[in-house]
Amino acid sequence: MQRSPQPDILKRLAVKWLNKLQQVKANPISTKRQIDNATNKYNHPEVKNDLKKMFNGKCAYCESKVSVVDYGAIEHFRPKSLYEYLTFEWNNLLYSCNICNSGNHKGTNFPLDVNGNPLLIDPSDDAIDPFLHLSFSWDEVAKLANIDGCDQRGNTVTEIFDFNGNRGRKELIKKRSIHIKKLLTLLNIALNTSDMQAIQMLKDSCQTSEEYSAFALVHILPHLAHHFRDPEAIALLEQISKRSPAYAALARFENLS
Ligand SMILES: [Zn+2]
């Protein structure tokens, strides 16, 4: 994804806020409240609105729409408690649901590999190919849309965010599975009838603005491109394949022409 430009408020004040935070922390008589106040400057409506827009109102990690009952959170990819200098750094900020952001999941967790590189995946980093690290599979028997790790990084991500509900986060996999099951039913209808409305709805499901679109990219988009030869679907499949060799392989990009 393309990160939007840094909001004006950060351009103007990020350096000042960081200096202030460092001063307050260095002062032995500062209270916890003073430190919290100096830290929480990042939690500004302008910053949050820009992040919300950039992530289409979806949690950067679990791809759920952050609904009206959850205002969402400004998430620090590198936790501010460990990387104080990145507290107000635009490129370190993400939009997430409060569950992914909570201490039980991401919280201050930021595991590194033996070389000191992050094991978590920054969803806004285009240099990372998510399809290389994560698999999005549909279990036809259990009717479950599983997200599994393909390597150490993928395993770390699925474990921390509990994508498959192994640590109790059952609502997420349930909601995701219902969504994918509906899409696959719609796909069957489209394949049998070539119904234009069904095809359009399936195309819409592949847009990044939609919930769980990573699954739609894997399970829906290749059919729209290969079977229906839909020009928009082909263009989207091409666009993602160019960014992601792992996706190109699973979506049979080579066979398109
Ligand atoms: Zn989430």
Side-chain angles (χ1 to χ4, degrees), residues 112-172:
L112 303 173
D113 68 13
V114 287
N115 299 315
N117 296 315
L119 282 169
L120 288 175
I121 295 172
D122 177 351
S124 71
D125 184 349
D126 263 351
I128 301 175
D129 180 350
F131 296 98
L132 188 66
H133 305 290
L134 295 166
S135 80
F136 302 84
S137 64
W138 172 249
D139 181 336
E140 183 53 37
V141 179
K143 309 284 182 208
L144 289 174
N146 294 306
I147 302 178
D148 294 300
C150 309
D151 56 12
Q152 194 190 8
R153 293 193 80 172
N155 290 336
T156 306
V157 172
T158 53
E159 165 66 19
I160 284 189
F161 295 104
D162 194 15
F163 281 154
N164 296 330
N166 299 327
R167 290 197 290 124
R169 201 179 178 187
K170 301 284 181 206
E171 280 304 304
L172 174 62

Side-chain angles (χ1 to χ4, degrees), residues 138 140 143 179-203 205 219-224 227-228:
W138 172 249
E140 183 53 37
K143 309 284 182 208
H179 179 78
I180 306 310
K181 195 178 162 199
K182 279 183 190 162
L183 290 183
L184 291 172
T185 305
L186 197 59
L187 177 65
N188 261 329
I189 293 170
L191 289 171
N192 288 323
T193 64
S194 296
D195 182 276
M196 290 308 289
Q197 214 178 339
I199 294 171
Q200 187 57 50
M201 285 167 79
L202 289 166
K203 270 200 284 186
S205 76
H219 294 277
I220 304 296
L221 187 63
H223 292 279
L224 301 178
H227 182 88
F228 295 108

Side-chain angles (χ1 to χ4, degrees), residues 58-64 66 70 95-101 161 163 169 172:
K58 284 196 323 188
C59 171
Y61 296 119
C62 74
E63 274 210 294
S64 302
V66 178
D70 180 341
Y95 185 66
S96 86
C97 72
N98 277 305
I99 298 177
C100 284
N101 190 38
F161 295 104
F163 281 154
R169 201 179 178 187
L172 174 62

Side-chain angles (χ1 to χ4, degrees), residues 129 131 222 226 237 240-241 244-255:
D129 180 350
F131 296 98
H226 290 281
L237 193 147
I240 297 161
S241 294
S244 161
Y247 181 75
L250 68 88
R252 295 177 291 119
F253 172 62
E254 289 295 319
N255 300 359

